[in-house]
Amino acid sequence: MFQRLCLLAALLGLAACQSIQVDSDYDPHRDFAALQTWGWQEPAVQYRPNDPRLTSGLTEQRVMQAVAQQLEQRGLRQIAPGAPADIRVQAFLIVDIRSEQIATYYGSDLMSDRWGGLWASPGYTEVRTRDFQVGTLQLDFLDRDGQLIWRGSGAQLVRRNPGSPQERAAAIHETVAKILSQYPPRRR
């Protein structure tokens, strides 16, 4: 199916006009101000479902560049591969197929017959099911022991037309920026 082949590109073809639902969670006992360096946890980008039609080196490159740029803006320094880092980052590109049922009620009509009597026709309900795809970019931050210390995600409906490579890159950068706007976490 053509739509399935474009799924990954569309996953992150997150248009500015569409709403990205952002969420995060973190370890409240962690001192995030003390974390100064970061590196990638291998594999840096994973796909769910793990479908070879979804994987894209271009998308991985865009995600990795956007994450590096955003973490640098937050004062974190990327270390060389294999060197110990305060934070290990791993990204997940997740596509879920969801369904929604839409019910429409058609009420009864009051009618009169030819003898002057009134009667009501019974109403009925029409139920339709609509399938749609939701794409999620999830970023996990792990400590030196491999324990999850922060998770951020951005989800939205998958577009059918992901746009040009420049539009895809801009959409990924926007999504990563929105996710990482919640890092470091603010204590409530």
Side-chain angles (χ1 to χ4, degrees), residues 4-179:
R4 182 98 171 144
L5 293 174
C6 294
L7 196 56
L8 180 60
L11 166 66
L12 292 174
L14 305 173
C17 62
Q18 291 184 343
S19 174
I20 301 169
Q21 295 179 335
V22 179
D23 188 27
S24 68
D25 193 11
Y26 64 94
D27 178 354
H29 304 292
R30 191 66 61 158
D31 179 11
F32 289 93
L35 305 174
Q36 300 297 314
T37 61
W38 75 278
W40 289 104
Q41 174 72 29
E42 292 300 327
V45 180
Q46 293 189 37
Y47 299 86
R48 300 287 190 267
N50 188 13
D51 186 333
R53 294 174 293 173
L54 302 179
T55 60
S56 166
L58 295 171
T59 300
E60 289 177 32
Q61 196 175 34
R62 291 173 184 135
V63 168
M64 293 173 74
Q65 288 172 349
V67 168
Q69 179 186 41
Q70 288 296 315
L71 291 179
E72 182 180 315
Q73 289 177 3
R74 284 162 179 71
L76 294 168
R77 190 178 82 252
Q78 185 174 5
I79 51 95
D86 298 330
I87 300 170
R88 290 281 175 196
V89 178
Q90 194 165 43
F92 295 87
L93 299 172
I94 305 162
V95 176
D96 293 316
I97 298 175
R98 300 186 186 168
S99 295
E100 166 182 69
Q101 288 192 334
I102 303 166
T104 305
Y105 176 73
Y106 298 96
S108 60
D109 290 331
L110 201 54
M111 302 178 146
S112 63
D113 59 24
R114 63 180 172 177
W115 297 282
L118 291 176
W119 59 278
S121 64
Y124 67 97
T125 302
E126 176 185 39
V127 178
R128 292 172 289 158
T129 301
R130 181 178 78 97
D131 292 333
F132 57 96
Q133 296 172 330
V134 175
T136 303
L137 173 60
Q138 177 179 301
L139 300 176
D140 285 355
F141 289 10
L142 310 169
D143 67 9
R144 290 179 188 243
D145 298 325
Q147 298 298 310
L148 181 66
I149 59 172
W150 185 86
R151 172 175 283 166
S153 64
Q156 79 173 73
L157 293 176
V158 174
R159 292 180 1 173
R160 288 182 184 238
N161 178 4
S164 70
Q166 295 81 6
E167 291 170 325
R168 294 174 192 192
I172 289 170
H173 279 270
E174 177 187 354
T175 302
V176 169
K178 285 184 179 183
I179 294 168

